Amino acid sequence: MCAVTTREKQTVRIQFGEVCCALDCRDVDVFERLRDSFNVFLSNQPIDITVELNLVDRLDRKTLDTVPSHNFGLPHEKLEISGDHAYHVEFDAANRRLLAIAERSIFNTAFALRSLNKLLLLVYYTASRLKRPGTPPWMLVHSCGILRKGQVLLFAGPCETGKTTIARLCSEDFGLPLNDEMMSLSWPRPEDYGLLAQSAPIFGELPFRANTVAPLSSVFLLKQSQRTVLRRLGRMEAYLRFLHQVVSPAGFNNHDTRTTISIMDSFANVVTGTTPFFELEFTRDRDLLWDVEARLKELILRGIK
Amino acid sequence: MRAKNFIWRDIEGQIVVIKDDGMVIYVLNKTAARIWEMCDGNLGRDEMAAKLCERYDVSFDRASVDVGGTLTSLMEKGLLMQAA
């Protein structure tokens, strides 16, 4: 039995940096959830790439063959195909369209929207390269961004190092959390007076609060610890650790790993060469978290030298 | 000479070498960094040792030992390839 939802498709446009992505979905409930969740990223800009999201009851070979637009009617050699347990994705470069087939059940879980992240990254970097060949103008970094007094403080680190904790802590009176999972950073341009930071439409644990662009103030590399310590990092240590937090700009239409690594290396070099870097060790003990805030405030009052 | 499947960068006098699949990263110490910079396929071991002597207060014999040891180590890690 065909498990595909066949209602009329609805489209939501999402602005992801300079890229406008149209997300087509025929499932009304999921569509409304997506539209509400991407709230601050909704766009009316011209579409750069279209993602057709098809939901199925079960993601297997048999079901894939029942999807109406499966293969876009194109021979396999014209498509790039990728996938994991959550999605089967096909890319039609000529028409700038992605077909994503996912199990409906993943949208019934609390983790549902976060499971979209990998797809969104693929879409962003693919569209970015199609729109402007070469280096993506905005790079993504695993980080939490806090807008404070017109500048962004970036707290970078892998999962479970406390990005969401920092965002929750800072939401009291310290600043506005922009994203607790991933931020976009520009390459420095003379006209921007340095690096800009912007929230990315990538799902963390907290809802999006704003889609704001602001100058990057400083970067804090997070490290869980039994104590609260803030220290300035040397250039090499900052580079090596930040490099691991830069999201690989791989996408469809790009199989050159060397170029991908070169872009990440150049970006880490530029950011660490233009921005103050600190290591923030902190314990997730609630009382001591306030100590983190106090130290950050002290640092900012001193002008982050 | 330097293997072609690595990307390298000088960061404030230190050299970081990244395999172009991103899976391996080396940070070279000061001596290895200077020798790495000379591994462009144009200099032999003795010439490298002589250049180290010009730059640092070290005997030629000592520099030769350092160059030999470093080249062997870089070769073992796959960072160097034989010049054609």
Side-chain angles (χ1 to χ4, degrees):
Chain A
M1 189 178 77
C2 175
V4 181
T5 310
T6 53
R7 294 186 185 117
E8 194 168 329
K9 79 175 181 189
Q10 300 188 73
T11 302
V12 60
R13 290 189 198 184
I14 304 157
Q15 196 65 35
F16 198 146
E18 296 184 353
V19 168
C20 179
C21 167
L23 196 54
D24 292 347
C25 181
R26 292 172 191 273
D27 186 301
V28 176
D29 293 340
V30 172
F31 171 79
E32 288 179 355
R33 196 168 171 198
L34 290 172
R35 188 188 55 200
D36 293 345
S37 302
F38 283 117
N39 182 21
V40 297
F41 291 98
L42 298 184
S43 170
N44 288 316
Q45 295 295 307
I47 297 167
D48 296 304
I49 195 164
T50 300
V51 178
E52 188 180 311
L53 182 62
N54 274 281
L55 302 180
V56 296
D57 290 334
R58 187 177 171 80
L59 188 60
D60 57 21
R61 191 70 252 168
K62 192 177 168 189
T63 310
L64 288 179
D65 289 337
T66 70
V67 175
S69 53
H70 182 41
N71 288 357
F72 295 112
L74 295 170
H76 257 261
E77 60 270 22
K78 295 281 186 189
L79 294 166
E80 286 191 59
I81 297 176
S82 169
D84 60 14
H85 65 285
Y87 289 96
H88 172 89
V89 186
E90 298 180 1
F91 176 52
D92 170 11
N95 295 301
R96 300 188 175 204
R97 289 182 68 84
L98 270 111
L99 171 66
I101 304 169
E103 285 194 17
R104 184 175 289 102
S105 59
I106 67 169
F107 287 91
N108 297 332
T109 65
F111 188 69
L113 294 173
R114 298 185 72 182
S115 66
L116 272 175
N117 286 349
K118 194 173 170 186
L119 176 65
L120 289 167
L121 293 175
L122 188 64
V123 168
Y124 168 69
Y125 278 124
T126 300
S128 184
R129 190 168 287 104
L130 286 170
K131 188 169 185 176
R132 193 189 295 202
T135 305
W138 292 80
M139 295 288 287
L140 295 160
V141 178
H142 290 289
S143 58
C144 157
I146 306 290
L147 181 67
R148 181 180 167 81
K149 294 186 176 175
Q151 292 195 308
V152 172
L153 305 177
L154 206 73
F155 297 86
C159 294
E160 301 298 318
T161 49
K163 296 190 293 295
T164 301
T165 304
I166 290 284
R168 286 201 171 105
L169 172 77
C170 291
S171 63
E172 299 292 327
D173 63 350
F174 185 84
L176 176 68
L178 297 176
N179 193 307
D180 64 320
E181 180 65 25
M182 199 168 288
M183 293 285 293
S184 312
L185 295 185
S186 71
W187 293 78
R189 298 182 301 184
E191 62 269 35
D192 295 331
Y193 303 104
L195 287 150
L196 299 176
Q198 181 178 25
S199 178
I202 293 291
F203 294 101
E205 290 182 33
L206 304 180
F208 303 133
R209 299 285 188 84
N211 179 12
T212 303
V213 183
L216 176 66
S217 162
S218 47
V219 178
F220 299 86
L221 298 175
L222 298 174
K223 181 180 175 184
Q224 268 190 49
S225 172
Q226 295 303 311
R227 57 183 189 164
T228 302
V229 180
L230 191 62
R231 72 179 173 98
R232 180 78 187 249
L233 291 179
R235 179 80 188 282
M236 178 59 91
E237 187 175 358
Y239 165 86
L240 289 171
R241 290 176 59 180
F242 184 68
L243 183 63
H244 286 96
Q245 304 315 318
V246 177
V247 177
S248 167
F252 282 122
N253 253 5
N254 171 29
H255 303 290
D256 183 355
T257 313
R258 184 183 178 89
T259 301
T260 301
I261 298 295
S262 290
I263 291 171
M264 295 167 72
D265 154 64
S266 299
F267 186 68
N269 181 51
V270 164
V271 177
T272 55
T274 53
T275 310
F277 267 73
F278 301 86
E279 178 187 73
L280 176 58
E281 280 186 53
F282 75 105
T283 166
R284 296 176 82 171
D285 178 287
R286 184 156 183 81
D287 292 334
L288 288 173
L289 278 175
W290 296 107
D291 188 37
V292 174
E293 189 193 30
R295 284 169 188 271
L296 285 171
K297 278 181 174 167
E298 180 189 328
L299 190 77
I300 287 161
L301 284 173
R302 285 192 278 127
I304 308 185
K305 296 272 167 48
Chain B
M1 62 189 297
R2 292 185 287 267
K4 295 195 186 307
N5 57 332
F6 286 87
I7 295 159
W8 65 283
R9 174 174 298 287
D10 182 330
I11 295 182
E12 296 183 338
Q14 283 188 283
I15 299 287
V16 57
V17 187
I18 307 172
K19 196 168 181 198
D20 63 7
D21 61 3
M23 301 303 286
V24 185
I25 299 178
Y26 296 103
V27 179
L28 306 185
N29 64 28
K30 199 167 93 176
T31 305
R34 299 294 77 79
I35 293 168
W36 172 264
E37 288 171 331
M38 292 188 279
C39 290
D40 56 5
N42 294 321
L43 297 176
R45 289 186 179 203
D46 286 351
E47 291 164 299
M48 289 185 191
K51 284 193 173 288
L52 282 185
C53 293
E54 288 171 15
R55 186 159 181 172
Y56 303 108
D57 183 18
V58 62
S59 69
F60 182 81
D61 288 346
R62 178 70 245 174
S64 291
V65 170
D66 284 348
V67 169
T70 300
L71 291 178
T72 300
S73 176
L74 293 174
M75 191 72 83
E76 285 171 354
K77 289 178 171 59
L79 297 171
L80 298 179
M81 59 183 192
Q82 295 289 350

